[in-house]
Amino acid sequence: MKLAFVVDPISELEPNHDSTIAMIEAAQDLGHEVWVTKINKLSIIEGKAWARMSRIEVDLTFFREKQKPKNISWYEISSQRLVCLDDMNVVFMRKDPPVNIRYLYATYILDLINPINTLVLNSPRGLREANEKIYALQFHQFMPPTIVGKDKEIIHDFVHTYKTAVLKPLGGKAGEGILILNLQDPNLNSIIEISTHQGQEPVMIQQFLPEAKYGDKRIILLNGNPIGAVNRVPTGQEFRGNMAVGGRVEKAEISLQEHDMCKVLGKKLRQDGLYFVGIDIIGGYLTEINVTSPTGIREIDSLDQKNLGQEVIKWVTSQ
Ligand SMILES: Nc1ncnc2c1ncn2[C@@H]1O[C@H](COP(=O)(O)OP(=O)(O)O)[C@@H](O)[C@H]1O
Ligand SMILES: [Mg+2]
């Protein structure tokens, strides 16, 4: 089959960490033809979605053996061809945030792919619907106390009630812009002003969960079902657990309570065409639902001797 990935520049990806590369490698190992493109290479021509794309082949043996010689590339890319995306069996939208206007335009182009021939994941409509921070609030029964807004008084009241809180920009990823709010902090007002762009942009404020020091669990859901988990533990010098800021990865089990939570989430995720999703859980509470380009499968594979990339590819090619 033919699979296309809409991604950031391949040269910027980390083959041993990025789930996109795990899926590209798995598709190749399962005998599929893999193409890559970027959001700035998409067009609509005569009502159909087209892309300038390249064939990609990866060779990760050097990385596996941990002796990658310098100047040897781990991938080969063909010259570009203009291809109608209806000719693909599967199109993965795996561009990293920010979800800005360019990202949104790309989803409108992907809307025109004929669903009879081609599975697009995650669904462009679902990607537009699910802001990674706010979408989780549709399941607020699983979340810690959380508000979204830009009103200084409301934010102050919240911090007053919970003493310590976490502020999150709504478009952030990988720990970007996450701040701790404390009533005693002389910078509290400034932090609120800067983060809300002087009361113009809403942010998320959440009760600080002390359990965060034991880790932020990432559970990967495929078609709404949990297929693996990994715990990301903060370094000690840093309260955020994200791998991008040095969080250490650790083997994790999915608890019964988390399975129940995934059942509820899974139904809605399937309805919204959000087939490959990563949820974040701290101290048993849902804190985030990542839908754009969730990661974690490389780490789960190496800790649990799994091949989630192949599991995903087998599922998407059987739809
Ligand atoms: N409510 C919370 N209490 C304590 N720490 C938190 C809380 N929410 C997030 N964090 C810390 O911040 C990190 C990033 O938060 P998250 O909401 O997952 O945003 P991002 O999109 O940046 O990953 C988490 O890995 C965790 O370590
Ligand atoms: Mg997160």
Side-chain angles (χ1 to χ4, degrees), residues 192-206:
I192 297 170
E193 287 157 16
I194 293 169
S195 301
T196 61
H197 299 268
Q198 311 298 330
Q200 296 304 305
E201 202 173 299
V203 291
M204 175 173 276
I205 316 284
Q206 192 164 75

Side-chain angles (χ1 to χ4, degrees), residues 133 173-175 216 218 232 242 280 287-288 290:
K133 295 288 182 299
K173 58 148 203 323
D216 177 6
R218 161 60 51 89
R232 294 152 305 168
N242 303 77
D280 290 347
T287 57
E288 200 190 9
N290 289 270

Side-chain angles (χ1 to χ4, degrees), residues 134-152:
I134 299 181
Y135 187 68
L137 281 165
Q138 299 196 29
F139 311 97
H140 71 273
Q141 69 272 31
F142 301 129
M143 291 185 75
T146 302
I147 57 169
V148 172
K150 48 194 174 329
D151 184 313
K152 204 187 261 177

Side-chain angles (χ1 to χ4, degrees), residues 143 220 274 302:
M143 291 185 75
I220 299 284
L274 298 168
S302 68

